[in-house]
Amino acid sequence: MPTYTPEELRSQHPKVFTKEYYKWMEYGVYDDWADYIKEDFESQMQVYGIKVNRFYWDISYSQGDGASFEGHVSVYRWMEANPQYIERYPALYLACKSDGSYMTVRSHGSRANYMHTDMTEYLNETQPEGVFAMLDEDAWIELVVTQWDEAGLEGEMKSTCERFMQDFYDRLRDEYEHLTSEESFIESCECNGITFEIEGEECEV
């Protein structure tokens, strides 16, 4: 009885190939298939002061598809990754670095991140420093709060998070499509020395 490689099966007996491919698909991808992508994005996001506690995603090819995360964004570290904001708002940078201000990020599913900051309450507790050390406390607080209002950092940090999550989802989707492709099935068969025999309409490994 003749045997067929996966490629030969696909070209000569496409219906049988499809049957075997879907049987292989029932086992799904390995559990840790996304780990290296998560680690890569955690490292990239750290540069922008983003600490990830947990990722969420859904790849079901529907409107609910997407990716999100829970964690927080360090304001001063985000500003260091975007130094134009330090140049424009130096008092705000010093205050945020002094008190460790951050934006909380919570997930409401795979497509939405909820951002929350209550910065002015904490910035009011900072003290003049650096080139602003000679300011009195009231003038310092007024300056810092004014720079916070003008900078619009909450929206900018949110945009950074959303950009990362779109890129993260795209990487996940591309990897998942590769791992579940016919080419991966063929590669898996070849690596394990699997060939196929045809008996009527049945296929045996």
Side-chain angles (χ1 to χ4, degrees):
M1 185 179 298
T3 60
Y4 299 86
T5 66
E7 283 283 13
E8 291 170 339
L9 193 69
R10 179 162 63 173
S11 62
Q12 299 179 38
H13 300 277
K15 290 183 179 180
V16 178
F17 174 86
T18 298
K19 178 182 177 180
E20 290 301 314
Y21 167 64
Y22 282 116
K23 283 170 60 178
W24 174 78
M25 283 280 291
E26 291 176 1
Y27 293 96
V29 296
Y30 47 91
D31 292 340
D32 59 352
W33 68 273
D35 283 359
Y36 84 96
I37 299 176
K38 291 191 293 183
E39 292 170 359
D40 182 28
F41 271 83
E42 285 175 357
S43 297
Q44 291 184 47
M45 294 166 74
Q46 283 177 2
V47 175
Y48 287 81
I50 304 172
K51 168 64 177 176
V52 177
N53 296 330
R54 184 175 180 181
F55 285 113
Y56 300 87
W57 68 85
D58 184 19
I59 305 174
S60 56
Y61 303 98
S62 67
Q63 290 186 346
D65 278 12
S68 64
F69 75 98
E70 290 185 346
H72 67 265
V73 185
S74 166
V75 179
Y76 88 86
R77 290 188 61 196
W78 184 90
M79 293 179 77
E80 288 178 346
N82 297 273
Q84 68 272 24
Y85 286 92
I86 299 177
E87 295 175 6
R88 295 176 193 167
Y89 310 107
L92 177 62
Y93 168 72
L94 291 173
C96 289
K97 187 172 184 179
S98 175
D99 77 348
S101 299
Y102 62 88
M103 179 175 70
T104 301
V105 183
R106 296 188 178 93
S107 175
H108 284 208
S110 59
R111 289 181 63 85
N113 288 312
Y114 168 68
M115 314 293 180
H116 176 70
T117 53
D118 190 8
M119 301 293 298
T120 54
E121 176 182 350
Y122 301 103
L123 294 176
N124 285 341
E125 300 175 0
T126 62
Q127 300 294 320
E129 60 178 289
V131 297
F132 305 98
M134 300 304 293
L135 284 180
D136 64 59
E137 187 172 335
D138 289 341
W140 164 257
I141 291 173
E142 181 179 358
L143 175 61
V144 170
V145 172
T146 297
Q147 289 193 357
W148 169 256
D149 291 339
E150 291 178 355
L153 293 190
E154 189 166 2
E156 295 298 327
M157 291 187 292
K158 181 178 180 180
S159 295
T160 299
C161 293
E162 290 174 342
R163 174 175 57 81
F164 271 118
M165 287 302 94
Q166 183 60 55
D167 292 346
F168 179 59
Y169 170 75
D170 291 343
R171 282 274 302 278
L172 289 171
R173 182 199 57 210
D174 291 347
E175 180 68 7
Y176 182 80
E177 289 180 351
H178 167 69
L179 292 173
T180 58
S181 66
E182 291 184 356
E183 285 66 28
S184 287
F185 168 58
I186 291 171
E187 182 180 348
S188 176
C189 292
E190 291 175 344
C191 288
N192 290 283
I194 295 174
T195 57
F196 302 87
E197 296 178 349
I198 304 296
E199 287 187 11
E201 294 299 319
E202 299 298 321
C203 174
E204 297 181 353
V205 179

